[in-house]
Amino acid sequence: MGSSSSSYAPKTIYLDVDGKIQKVVFSRHCSPCDIKELLCSSSNIPRNTAIMMVDPEGALVSIDPTMPTNSPNSLYKVVPLSTGNLGDKEDMFQNVLSQVADQFSRAFRINELKTEVTNRLAMLEKRVELEGLKVVEIERCKNELKKLRDEMTSRGGGRVNCPCKYNFSDDGKKVTPRRDVPNYPKYTLSQETIEALKKPTFDVWHWEHNEMLSCLEYMYHDLGLVKEFNMNPITLKRWLLAIQENYRINPFHNFRHCFCVSQMMYGMIHLCNLQEKLTLTDMGILMTAAVCHDLDHPGYNNTYQINARTELAVRYNDISPLENHHCAVAFQILSLPECNIFANVDPEAFKQIRQAIITLILATDMARHGEILDSFKHKVDNFDFTNEEHVTCLKMVLIKCCDISNEVRPTDVAEPWVDCLLEEYFMQSDREKSEGLPVAPFMDRDKVTKPTAQIGFIKFVLIPMFETVMKLFPQIEEIMVQPLRDSRDHYEELKQIDDAMTEAQKKKTENMSLGGKKK
């Protein structure tokens, strides 16, 4: 999907800021306003200050995407403009104008200017077209969802058309991030929120999408990832927006679930003091994998994809079709220059980061749960943080823990997620029945209850995995493992109440039946 065309290559210039060299990287698609804001930020100048940029000889350098590049040996300098001084010296103003004309005539040829204008017009036309298509697509999806609900209600026979089957022809439309400066409302995090973000007790239900985006942005800055990978802060905003736009509105597998998993990962990094044991590159891999791990999830699991022979199952040969798809969408977004948060990373280092993120996302397939946990159990008693294989296995287990960590949270935060998951399960089992496909008992609305759905999962999946992690990080017992035990006890009590009520109803029915026979 990526292009090696020079038109997409980022541009680099070097500034003299208080005697120090400051490297500034920006996309050729940035507007002059974007670049001026970036230059102000890099030169410690307040935003919205009128500025000009000069070369070592004092000649004016135009501030736009086509400005000439320089080197660390020939630094540009950003100078705030003083309107008073300009008003006093008309000859200086004339000199500036003549320098602009001279620089412009020397730097560009008329044919190149025409080509640039043509290209920009084409980009604007394409953008207008895509925005129009997006509105049409939203209306089309609404109509299809209404039609689907009607079909599910009527329970008609035969296979129904499945909009969850990813269409190859949709590839070009799935990822359409904004090229302008992101403008989602900025949410200023209070100190109380900053501290709460580090804990598993964080209530993820009280936040709007723009607030969750701001929290994710804060996590990347707080962990030092923006500095470590030399990320352009504006690119980070665009990437997060593109991520949000590529999570579907499912009952469970949606952007709030993405945020939930990412916040739990951020919390475990702090709780387990991973900054002291792993590298910043490892932190970036863990956080980015968590953010991307369920991208474009259709709301129907791998079993359905394989049994229904969807395009995803065919494309990935029935091998973790959803997880492979999440990876593909993640790197499709990163292939766009305006969303590539790793644009300034060395190509060889990026290869390793890419492979590590893929490894973690693929590890979230629950079909591999036993294999991954057994591997970690063999390593945990003699764990070596200098052993790459050990660290990779730990990272796989960490993302698995975060992915299914809802029951670690307080009951009033965790229980609504069970309702969301069961709603998604029931949608799938209803479809499987209508299409004549096998139905898993734990997804069948006629067989499963909330307690029966949770007890086995907590006892045989969650507690054994978190107790194994506890051997390496004992500090998680009180904050993460004990809440799981409490949750197990809570659902076992509910099951006892349900069983008692069922038994009482059964006896009542039998008595009524016997009474009828006596008459």
Side-chain angles (χ1 to χ4, degrees), residues 25-75:
V25 181
F26 56 89
S27 166
R28 293 173 184 269
H29 300 296
C30 283
S31 69
C33 290
D34 290 352
I35 299 171
K36 285 180 182 177
E37 184 175 334
L38 193 56
L39 292 175
C40 285
S41 175
S42 302
S43 304
N44 301 321
I45 296 172
R47 290 178 60 187
N48 301 323
T49 302
I51 60 170
M52 66 179 182
M53 189 163 64
V54 296
D55 64 15
E57 298 175 358
L60 195 68
V61 179
S62 59
I63 301 177
D64 60 58
T66 60
M67 72 172 73
T69 56
N70 64 337
S71 70
N73 297 323
S74 178
L75 301 175

Side-chain angles (χ1 to χ4, degrees), residues 192-366:
E192 181 183 2
T193 299
I194 288 171
E195 290 306 314
L197 267 177
K198 300 174 183 176
K199 299 173 183 175
T201 52
F202 187 82
D203 190 344
V204 296
W205 294 106
H206 289 170
W207 305 85
E208 300 297 331
H209 277 189
N210 65 292
E211 295 168 338
M212 291 188 281
L213 287 167
S214 292
C215 287
L216 289 170
E217 187 181 350
Y218 170 80
M219 293 175 201
Y220 270 73
H221 282 279
D222 179 59
L223 291 173
L225 305 180
V226 175
K227 185 175 180 181
E228 173 68 13
F229 297 108
N230 194 16
M231 293 179 189
N232 182 332
I234 294 175
T235 302
L236 176 61
K237 287 176 180 287
R238 285 199 184 100
W239 176 71
L240 286 171
L241 272 172
I243 292 293
Q244 180 207 329
E245 289 169 2
N246 281 275
Y247 271 92
R248 301 196 192 186
I249 306 175
N250 296 316
F252 184 91
H253 291 100
N254 50 40
F255 180 64
R256 192 175 299 277
H257 169 66
C258 152
F259 175 71
C260 200
V261 175
S262 304
Q263 184 272 323
M264 187 63 74
M265 180 66 78
Y266 177 72
M268 289 196 76
I269 287 172
H270 283 284
L271 180 61
C272 302
N273 297 318
L274 294 180
Q275 301 101 315
E276 299 176 6
K277 298 175 174 66
L278 303 179
T279 66
L280 274 173
T281 298
D282 288 326
M283 302 292 116
I285 290 165
L286 283 167
M287 286 301 301
T288 305
V291 169
C292 298
H293 83 283
D294 269 334
L295 273 167
D296 198 46
H297 195 297
Y300 298 83
N301 68 14
N302 280 331
T303 301
Y304 175 84
Q305 303 297 324
I306 293 167
N307 288 340
R309 298 190 293 278
T310 65
E311 276 196 66
L312 284 182
V314 172
R315 182 187 294 184
Y316 296 112
N317 304 307
D318 294 350
I319 301 171
S320 303
L322 287 182
E323 289 72 25
N324 274 294
H325 179 57
H326 305 325
C327 292
V329 176
F331 285 98
Q332 186 183 1
I333 293 171
L334 284 170
S335 72
L336 300 166
E338 59 268 37
C339 294
N340 187 3
I341 57 174
F342 298 116
N344 298 320
V345 173
D346 174 76
E348 195 56 41
F350 177 72
K351 275 187 187 178
Q352 296 176 7
I353 290 170
R354 168 176 156 80
Q355 188 55 56
I357 291 172
I358 291 171
T359 297
L360 296 200
I361 294 177
L362 293 181
T364 61
D365 184 355
M366 286 302 293

Side-chain angles (χ1 to χ4, degrees), residues 3-11 26-30 65 115-116 119 123 179 337-338:
S3 171
S4 60
S5 170
S6 61
S7 65
Y8 287 96
K11 179 164 281 191
F26 56 89
S27 166
R28 293 173 184 269
H29 300 296
C30 283
T115 302
E116 181 69 19
N119 288 342
M123 283 173 53
R179 293 174 183 270
E338 59 268 37

Side-chain angles (χ1 to χ4, degrees), residues 422 425-426 429-430 433 437-454 495 498-499 502:
L422 289 177
Y425 280 175
F426 295 159
S429 61
D430 289 347
K433 291 174 185 177
L437 298 174
V439 178
F442 69 90
M443 301 179 82
D444 191 336
R445 69 172 72 243
D446 299 323
K447 297 179 181 177
V448 73
T449 64
K450 194 185 291 188
T452 57
Q454 291 301 96
K495 185 176 184 301
D498 285 352
D499 290 347
T502 303

